[in-house]
Amino acid sequence: MTALEALPTPGSAAYRSLVTRTPVPDEVRVQTQALLLDVQKRGDAALLDLTERFDGVRLQQTAVSTQAMRAALDGLDPGLRGALDVAAANIEAVHGAQRFHEEPVDVVRGVRVWREWRALRRVGLYVPGGRTVYPSSVLMLAIPARLAGCQEIVMCSPPQRDGQIALAVLAAAGLAGVTEVHSVGGAQAIAAMAYGTVSMPRVDKIFGPGNAYVTAAKLAVFGDVAIDMPAGPSEILVLTDGSVPAAWVAADLRAQAEHAADARAILVSTHPAMAAEVRGLVEGELSAQIRVLSAAGMEAAVAFANDFASEHLTLACAEPDRWLTRISSAGSVFLGPYAPAAAGDYATGANHVLPTGGASRAFGALGVDAFGRMMQAQSLDRDGLLRLEPVVEAIAGAEELSAHKESVRVRRSGSAAFPGLDGPRPRSAILNMQPYEWEPPSARIASEAGVPEGDVVLPLAGRVAERHWAAGVERVPRHQLHRAHRRTGGLYRRIAGRDHRRCRRG
């Protein structure tokens, strides 16, 4: 038997390679951009064409009736219906405790500041349905949305080969309180929710997990619409000291790996014999997605866990509560031998919509708070404003914003005679600037460059674009050279044409 693979040394190239994931390959970004542009241009017609192309079924419309939801719920297998009822009740119990309450603060006498909760009006939920179906995801998404008070809860899920959304998914939508359902999946569903079509008005925020194309689409539309988090291919990291049976650990690794071919599972063990046993147990069809590593001690394993920032993290060790205090980056943590991630996927009431690909460094598990936003408020009476006037006057003076100062002074003096502005005014060119666009639509670029839209080569995003910038080379048509650099700011875009020349940055 070959020796166990050791956890790479922190800071080494092997360690960085293990920790750094690319949830969206560059070719997926490019393909996704084309799908988004198609839906933007052609709306519902594009949705129907793309559904036929990717799902193999030609629909007359994407909308699914509320009667179909009710019929699916009524016709559901009693055993599954009972399980969904229990899961829904547990999710509601856990998320019902997440209601917002914050006491107002009396900053000084006569000045009060507070925040109030406001639910998003219209939200979009994406429920995967390619390799398998996920009624559990419907509950995890829709119940917090309903508890938050969202008026319109829109769900998109791909149709099966018969042209219908899976019965269990449709039934879960009826159970959880979804108000609008569309039979459409993939990046095209994200585009419809982000930009809107005739049959599907745009939403305020998009939620839900999906494959690399769905994740790429969510990241691409962010800014046009809000998103919950990057929630792509599933992953689990298990840390063990050998105190949990190898068969249990192997079962947890396999459970997450079975989600999809790009799901991944990692075991870091401080017990070499147990790690070797696990490695033998996971041999088979899922073994390519499972990696078994050895570590010198739990301290090193926990340090790796924080760098890896996994979607699911299992502490299959003695004193898991102690080690939990050392964990800073994980989507959902499972403590002890009797806490398989599958229990959280379905039944504990915790949310299984989690950040992936290292995003748990900045994002957390989905909750009620994600379906709304805080609105800040403040009230001042006359005496309170007088107490703050010297503060406003001093800071406004330093920033040369005399109208700010006058808006306070006029309430004390009663005079409506406003003096001239004494601060610097922006140049007209700055006043006329349009909002900066990272990726202007290819149709507009083609129009401005005077070339066919098909000749516009979309940029490679992220680090690929950074390499182009570092190289200092751009290619643009000669007659558009100066304007292209001025308008795009060197956005790593090449516009095809016969008359090109190279231009170095600077």
Side-chain angles (χ1 to χ4, degrees):
M1 179 179 290
T2 58
L4 281 173
E5 183 182 1
L7 185 67
T9 303
S12 67
Y15 189 90
R16 292 194 302 271
S17 176
L18 183 58
V19 167
T20 305
R21 284 93 85 200
T22 305
V24 180
D26 295 320
E27 62 271 17
V28 172
R29 291 183 187 271
V30 173
Q31 294 169 30
T32 300
Q33 191 68 45
L35 299 175
L36 298 177
L37 184 60
D38 190 19
V39 175
Q40 273 188 292
K41 284 183 172 180
R42 300 195 298 123
D44 289 323
L47 294 183
L48 299 177
D49 290 346
L50 292 171
T51 297
E52 183 176 22
R53 173 181 166 189
F54 292 115
D55 300 302
V57 58
R58 183 70 191 184
L59 303 177
Q60 297 302 310
Q61 61 179 26
T62 63
V64 179
S65 69
T66 55
Q67 291 84 356
M69 273 196 290
R70 285 196 296 268
L73 189 57
D74 292 340
L76 197 62
D77 172 78
L80 179 55
R81 170 64 189 268
L84 291 177
D85 283 337
V86 172
N90 292 347
I91 294 168
E92 185 148 358
V94 170
H95 291 74
Q98 298 173 5
R99 303 299 180 89
F100 175 83
H101 177 71
E102 187 174 275
E103 294 294 332
V105 176
D106 291 313
V107 182
V108 297
R109 188 183 306 165
V111 179
R112 172 167 286 189
V113 179
W114 70 99
R115 296 193 301 169
E116 295 189 0
W117 168 266
R118 293 293 183 270
L120 298 172
R121 186 186 65 83
R122 181 175 169 86
V123 296
L125 317 180
Y126 184 80
V127 177
R131 188 178 181 192
T132 185
V133 296
Y134 294 97
S136 58
S137 292
V138 181
L139 303 183
M140 296 289 179
L141 292 162
I143 291 175
R146 174 169 53 78
L147 291 175
C150 299
Q151 296 176 27
E152 300 176 30
I153 304 174
V154 183
M155 185 188 84
C156 287
S157 189
Q160 305 300 296
R161 288 294 181 178
D162 61 359
Q164 306 298 316
I165 291 179
L167 183 68
V169 170
L170 206 53
L175 179 64
V178 171
T179 62
E180 183 180 329
V181 177
H182 290 268
S183 182
V184 60
Q188 58 270 27
I190 302 301
M193 290 190 282
Y195 305 128
T197 70
V198 172
S199 70
M200 194 191 314
R202 62 178 296 167
V203 302
D204 299 320
K205 189 172 182 179
I206 297 173
F207 300 81
N211 61 19
Y213 289 91
V214 170
T215 302
K218 286 174 64 178
L219 293 173
V221 301
F222 178 62
D224 293 307
V225 67
I227 64 170
D228 53 351
M229 67 186 82
S234 185
E235 58 189 21
I236 186 171
L237 172 63
V238 179
L239 308 185
T240 186
D241 56 6
S243 60
V244 175
W248 299 7
V249 172
D252 289 351
L253 296 170
R254 286 174 51 83
Q256 294 306 312
E258 76 170 337
H259 273 290
D262 53 1
R264 59 190 306 185
I266 298 176
L267 169 66
V268 176
S269 175
T270 64
H271 193 285
M274 185 264 204
E277 186 179 356
V278 170
R279 189 172 62 177
L281 290 170
V282 299
E283 286 297 329
E285 58 181 335
L286 297 174
S287 60
Q289 299 167 237
I290 300 173
R291 194 165 179 180
V292 178
L293 304 171
S294 64
M298 282 297 293
E299 290 82 1
V302 167
F304 170 71
N306 287 329
D307 288 339
F308 188 77
S310 185
E311 177 191 19
H312 303 89
L313 173 64
T314 297
L315 300 178
C317 56
E319 300 182 289
D321 297 277
R322 171 195 166 203
W323 295 110
L324 177 63
T325 63
R326 306 272 293 275
I327 298 297
S328 60
S329 299
S332 192
V333 185
F334 300 84
L335 280 67
Y338 294 98
D345 284 344
Y346 298 130
T348 66
N351 208 292
H352 78 200
V353 179
L354 305 167
T356 63
S360 64
R361 297 184 191 94
F363 294 87
L366 185 67
V368 172
D369 60 312
F371 291 90
R373 71 282 193 204
M374 302 312 306
M375 183 177 70
Q376 186 172 264
Q378 51 230 288
S379 65
L380 295 82
D381 63 20
R382 178 181 174 83
D383 291 340
L385 182 59
L386 287 174
R387 291 185 178 93
L388 296 184
E389 184 176 0
V391 178
V392 174
E393 183 172 352
I395 297 175
E399 296 183 354
E400 298 184 322
L401 297 173
S402 58
H404 282 63
K405 182 168 53 180
E406 277 302 310
S407 71
V408 174
R409 185 202 62 79
V410 71
R411 286 168 165 78
R412 172 174 51 81
S413 67
S415 170
F418 299 127
L421 299 175
D422 56 14
R425 304 298 294 154
R427 297 191 304 274
S428 59
I430 296 176
L431 292 173
N432 293 329
M433 285 180 66
Q434 297 300 309
Y436 179 77
E437 292 181 311
W438 175 248
E439 289 189 4
S442 57
R444 203 185 78 197
I445 296 169
S447 174
E448 293 178 353
V451 299
E453 184 180 346
D455 288 343
V456 175
V457 181
L458 294 173
L460 295 178
R463 66 183 188 283
V464 176
E466 291 172 359
R467 288 201 299 269
H468 284 214
W469 176 255
V473 177
E474 292 293 321
R475 298 189 68 190
V476 297
R478 178 176 298 159
H479 67 283
Q480 289 290 324
L481 178 64
H482 300 296
R483 189 170 73 166
H485 274 73
R486 185 168 64 249
R487 294 291 295 274
T488 67
L491 284 179
Y492 326 110
R493 196 178 297 273
R494 298 177 306 211
I495 304 176
R498 292 177 302 174
D499 191 13
H500 288 85
R501 73 175 183 181
R502 292 183 180 274
C503 169
R504 293 203 169 270
R505 179 172 53 154

